[in-house]
Every structure is written in C-alpha cells, then in structure tokens.
Amino acid sequence: MTARPQPESEVRLPVPWEDLLRTEDSLLASVAAAGLDGLRGTLHAALTAAPTDRGAGACTTLLEALDRLLAETGHAESVHAGFSEAGTPGVGGSRYGAPRGEGPAYGARQAEIPHLGSPAGTPHGEVPQHGAPQTVAPLFGTPPAGIPPAGSPAGTPQAAVPQYGTPQTEAPPYGTPKPEAPRYDSPHAGIPQAGSPPAEYPPAGSPQTPSPQTGGDPTRPTAPHVPPRPAAPPRAAAPAILALAAELAGSPEVDDFAPGAVPPAPGGPGGTDGVRRWYHLTLLRLPDRHADVWRTRAAEADPVARESWETLRGWADEVLLPPSGDGRPGLRTERDKVTEPSDLAKLVLALHRHDEALCLLLDRLWTGGSTRLADPHVSQAYRTELAKRLQALERSTRDSTEQLRASVAVDEALCSVTHLPPSAPGSWWNRLAEESHTAALDLCRHLLAAGRNVEAVLPARPYRQARHHTRATDDIRLGVGGRPGDTLACLRLWLRVDDQVFPGRVVHRGQE
C-alpha cells in the first residue's frame, strides 16, 4: 500500500536530529549531517531514475524535509556532486529544492538530464570537445568533502581532502593515448618468473651444460631437481598359518567335532605362535581322517622349525605340537610296545600346559561346572590328586584287587581331563582315553582269569544302556556334541570287586 504524503507543514523529523546537528565542533554532528546528506542524494538519484514510482510523492516530501532540516541546522551545502546550493543542475540532475517553475519538476523527460559523464553544468545535447577538461572522480577510499577524519575537530579543513567547489585536477585531453598495460604473460619487474634462471646463472646465450631434466636442450627451462622418493619397504606377508587357522575355524570338521573352537587374535599376547598352537591342538580333537588332511596342509604352508623337542613315549610316532618362536619346545611321541599309566599321565600334563581349552571333570575336584585347567589353582590341585593316585597304584600289591581299584582310579584321573564337548571318536584324545581304559580292563581280565571275583565294564555308547552302569546324578549332560542320546565320553569305569560295586560316570548328549 502506498503511503500518503503529509502536508509540508506536518513533515518534521524528530527533535533529537536537530539537537545533534546543531551541536558545534562535534564530530558526531558532522557524521550525522553527512549521513543525512548521503540519504538525500541516494533518494534523489532513485527518484530521478523512477519518477513514476508509486512512492514518488512520499519520497519528494521526505527530500524536502531533509533539505529543510539541513538548512535549519547550518548544513545546507551538499557534499555530493549534483547538489549545489543555488539549485543549479549538476552531474546528478537539477536540484530537487529549486522553486517550482524555476527548475525541472520531478518526473521531467529524460532529455532534460545531461549525459552520463558530462561535466557538471553542461547543457544536454552539448558534447564536450576533444581535449576538454573532465572532472576526475575522487579515488575509492577518499573521504567525502566536509567530513573530517576521526579524531580531528569538527570543521577542521584537511589538506589532502578537496573542499566542495575546489577545481579538480584536469584529466589528459580526450584521445590522448594511454600507456599500454603489460601483457598477461609478460614478466613483471622484480618478480622472477617460473622456470627463469637464478641471478647467479650465466646470461642467456652462453654455453650451458645440458641437464638431465631438460633432456639436453639448453633452451628449455631447467626444472628443480627433486630427489627420488625412497621406495617404501615391502609389506611382510602375513604368515600362512593365520589364513589356514581361520579356514579351519570355519570348517565343517570343527563345527561337527569341536564346536566353539576359535583361534586367538594374532595381535594378542601369543601372537602368531599362539595361533599356530591353537591350530595343532585343535587337530588333536578331530578324527584322524580329517586331522591328517589339515596337518598335511600345514606342513606345506608352515614348515616345522628345527628347534628343541620334548619327546615322550606314546602309541605312535607323531608330532603333537611344533616348536614355538617364543622358545617353547615342540612336543612329539615315540612309539613304544607297552604304554604305562605313568606315560599317559606325562602326555596329559605336557598338553595341559599349552591347551587352554582343557577342562577338569574329576570327581571330588569337580564342583558342578567345568573347571579350566588353565587356572593355576585348578592345575595344582589336579597335579596333586594325580600324583596321589599314581603313587597308590605303584604301592599296591601286584595282581591284587587293590591294584585293580588303584588302576581304575588313575584311569578316571586321566580321562577326566577333556574338552567340552569331548573329542570325537577316532581323535588323538579319544585314543588316549582308550589306552587308559585298556590298562584297567586288561588287569581286570587277568584277575578274572586267576579266579578273582571282579568285573569291570565300559559303559555302552547309547546312554539308555550306559545308565545301567552309572549313577544318573553323577553323569554330565551336554547339549552339544555327537547325536542326542549318545555317550560322549567315559570318565570312570563301572567296577565290581566281590560284593562291592563302584558305579561308572559318563558325559552324554541329552535328548532333544
């Protein structure tokens, strides 16, 4: 909506403007006057360009009010070109404050406005002659006339600022040739160009030694010599055993016979040696037909180092664990015709130092949950109990029922060291349990043949038959390993000596 112009007598600016503008020797008064004068010039230029605008009437009224305010406060003289005191036309057009009838009215034809760039006061239609002096506009940043810089008293003339009406320096005559600007790609004084030779180089034209950077051409600019970047050392390939261990962990064999077996992180305390130990220890839990395939692959990808070995008596010549880079000796067995319980005990104690997955399910030491043999307290308790049972077997009378009971007790101590789930039939650990059971069963048959009233039974594979020779409250039920209803491992043989019966103990897979 267009604002209605108020009568001339009613247009008054607020009193604070007059108070400020009437203040003598005030920098703020000068700044305020210059600001109002600038506003007056801007509005006048806009009104000249758009005389038919809907706000032209209100703009005219405001301009007259500003003119009156500045005149009453002693700031009538304009500091902008085109606003002379007498109302004569300037660069910006005729003065808006000229009396009606004496100057062009607002909205006059454009023919009454001089050409852009004509000197102040030049009538329209008269083109300045060639060589006529032209008004030079002040440079950008030059303070307008009448505005003293900050810190100087108001009204103090400045030597470097031309006052209003002061003749301006004449420009060179029209048509005077201007000095040519240097080409974009021409060298500038004092600025070395890219590729130009340094000052200490011989002048152009003198013989120069060909440079490998220029290809032997002396006219080409010499590129700076950049030393070649040293080649990065080749990254060491990851040991093949790491990839092989990861493949084994995700294989169907591990999923079927050693579920939950996961190799340690290569960046852990054991490093690559820890992964290598896990690989070979896991193979002892798999059936031989699968373990032999993975051992062959390891022998090709990760040859066994010729380090120190710990050799023990066993039922076959085989490598159980290769040597480690941290100084641990490898573990291997040599075949012997007769394997005593003490030999089997040495194998169990040697492996439990390396295999952190072994658990202890020995009665009297087992408290209802699997106990890791990696715990030093559990390991010491087991060693003590095993040594006690071995000593009892050694002290027992040969071919006596006392010896049979001691042999079954040692067998229980050896077979109660197992994994969860227990190792599969046909694995190395399952073969160790069979060797241990055989020693007790052979002794029982020998005593039975001698006329002793003794009997020993290895619980059957199906648990529904095995439980006739066990006490259900002593058996351990698992939800993994084998098939539902299978007897996974025999921890203790069923034994009868005369009228005394000693129930067996097994680990079995529960029915689903």
Side-chain angles (χ1 to χ4, degrees), residues 199-437:
E200 63 272 12
Y201 278 31
S206 60
Q208 299 182 8
T209 303
S211 171
Q213 285 80 14
T214 62
D217 187 0
T219 61
R220 295 180 58 187
T222 303
H225 174 70
V226 179
R229 178 180 298 178
R235 296 181 59 183
I241 192 63
L242 300 183
L244 204 56
E247 185 180 352
L248 175 63
S251 66
E253 295 86 67
V254 168
D255 187 57
D256 291 341
F257 305 111
V262 179
T272 304
D273 288 329
V275 178
R276 184 178 291 107
R277 283 195 299 271
W278 174 90
Y279 181 90
H280 289 276
L281 291 172
T282 302
L283 297 185
L284 300 180
R285 302 173 60 181
L286 306 183
D288 288 341
R289 65 181 185 276
H290 299 297
D292 290 342
V293 175
W294 288 98
R295 286 194 184 98
T296 302
R297 295 185 60 184
E300 297 173 353
D302 187 52
V304 176
R306 295 184 177 181
E307 302 290 343
S308 59
W309 288 91
E310 180 182 359
T311 305
L312 301 175
R313 296 172 62 183
W315 55 86
D317 295 330
E318 56 186 341
V319 173
L320 304 182
L321 194 63
S324 299
D326 56 3
R328 297 187 186 184
L331 184 61
R332 62 187 177 184
T333 59
E334 290 182 350
R335 183 175 182 179
D336 197 295
K337 294 182 180 180
V338 179
T339 304
E340 299 293 337
S342 58
D343 298 328
L344 301 178
K346 291 178 182 179
L347 288 174
V348 172
L349 293 177
L351 283 172
H352 107 273
R353 294 196 304 265
H354 301 278
D355 196 344
E356 298 181 355
L358 284 174
C359 299
L360 180 63
L361 304 179
L362 183 59
D363 198 12
R364 299 181 184 177
L365 294 181
W366 185 70
T367 58
S370 64
T371 306
R372 297 279 181 176
L373 269 174
D375 186 340
H377 300 286
V378 176
S379 175
Q380 184 59 41
Y382 174 70
R383 287 171 174 272
T384 303
E385 182 66 20
L386 178 59
K388 183 188 302 183
R389 297 191 182 196
L390 287 172
Q391 291 174 3
L393 176 61
E394 186 178 355
R395 290 195 304 262
S396 62
T397 304
R398 186 177 179 83
D399 297 337
S400 64
T401 57
E402 179 187 7
Q403 184 184 21
L404 178 60
R405 293 182 58 181
S407 178
V408 171
V410 170
D411 173 59
E412 179 188 13
L414 295 177
C415 296
S416 294
V417 175
T418 183
H419 298 87
L420 292 180
S423 300
S427 65
W428 185 90
W429 279 102
N430 182 259
R431 181 66 184 275
L432 184 139
E434 289 177 352
E435 292 287 333
S436 179
H437 295 328

Side-chain angles (χ1 to χ4, degrees), residues 430-499:
N430 182 259
R431 181 66 184 275
L432 184 139
E434 289 177 352
E435 292 287 333
S436 179
H437 295 328
T438 299
L441 292 175
D442 286 347
L443 178 59
C444 181
R445 283 192 289 268
H446 177 74
L447 294 177
L448 184 61
R452 301 294 181 90
N453 187 14
V454 294
E455 184 181 4
V457 176
L458 177 66
R461 189 71 180 171
Y463 181 65
R464 65 175 180 272
Q465 298 178 14
R467 61 187 178 183
H468 298 298
H469 296 93
T470 67
R471 184 184 294 132
T473 56
D474 291 342
D475 295 338
I476 299 175
R477 182 177 183 272
L478 297 181
V480 293
R483 294 174 299 180
D486 280 353
T487 299
L488 303 179
C490 175
L491 304 179
R492 185 175 62 216
L493 298 173
W494 180 87
L495 178 64
R496 181 182 63 81
V497 177
D498 296 330
D499 294 335

Side-chain angles (χ1 to χ4, degrees), residues 110-115 118 121-127:
Q110 295 298 323
E112 300 177 4
I113 302 175
H115 286 291
S118 60
T122 303
H124 174 66
E126 297 181 8
V127 180

